[in-house]
Amino acid sequence: MNGLVIAERVFKVGDVFGWQEPGQNSSSLYAQWATRNRFQVGDSLSFDYKNDSVIEVDKRGYYHCDASKHIVAFNNGNRVFKLDKSGLFYYISGTPSHCKNGQRLLVEVMGLHHHSPPFIAAPPGYLAPSPQLSSGVSVSGTLASLSMALMATLIALLWFLA
């Protein structure tokens, strides 16, 4: 073993609200819940509900609240889904009006080795300015400096090749 410990977590969908039709002013309840959490391969989603169902569907089924081509469907009041691969997972209520009122969930599952976007190295000899709390002017200055350094490198390369 290389010392890497992976903790598998169980997320209760909707927290204390559970899996039920959201109220009139809460149609984005599940979208907000999903953005507050970060899901990894190996985690699980626990759906707790009464007099309803939870259906795993594809992207089209999610956006059209259409369960006709579901992946799996349950109506037993409690279901745990293991997130066994990275990617997008889509869940809806089996009651079309509930789904249209916001009882649907889209989660993105990150792989075990999810990395940030690649870092682009600055040209040799380029010193990046120290980070500042302000945004607009500093960002423009940094981009201008980087542009100048890249331009100088390009000109030197063209002169060398000529």
Side-chain angles (χ1 to χ4, degrees), residues 57-65 90 92 104-106:
V57 294
D58 62 9
K59 182 178 181 179
R60 185 188 183 293
Y62 173 82
Y63 285 106
H64 295 280
C65 292
Y90 305 90
I92 64 173
R104 56 184 166 179
L105 175 66
L106 163 61

Side-chain angles (χ1 to χ4, degrees), residues 68-150:
S68 65
K69 295 181 182 176
H70 65 271
I71 298 167
V72 291
F74 297 95
N75 62 1
N76 62 357
N78 186 4
R79 179 64 189 166
V80 176
F81 287 89
K82 180 84 164 183
L83 302 171
D84 59 354
K85 62 184 177 182
S86 61
L88 300 175
F89 289 80
Y90 305 90
Y91 303 94
I92 64 173
S93 168
T95 306
S97 62
H98 290 193
C99 178
K100 289 176 182 165
N101 290 332
Q103 190 179 357
R104 56 184 166 179
L105 175 66
L106 163 61
V107 297
E108 180 178 8
V109 179
M110 301 296 170
L112 294 176
H113 302 289
H114 181 75
H115 299 288
S116 299
F119 173 77
I120 300 173
Y126 174 74
L127 297 176
S130 30
Q132 297 179 2
L133 295 177
S134 62
S135 55
V137 176
S138 297
V139 171
S140 298
T142 301
L143 291 176
S145 299
L146 182 58
S147 296
M148 292 296 287
L150 289 173

Side-chain angles (χ1 to χ4, degrees), residues 23-44:
Q24 286 182 343
N25 298 324
S26 303
S27 62
S28 62
L29 172 85
Y30 295 107
Q32 291 172 357
W33 178 84
T35 59
R36 286 192 309 267
N37 293 291
R38 183 175 176 107
F39 307 98
Q40 299 284 336
V41 171
D43 290 342
S44 298

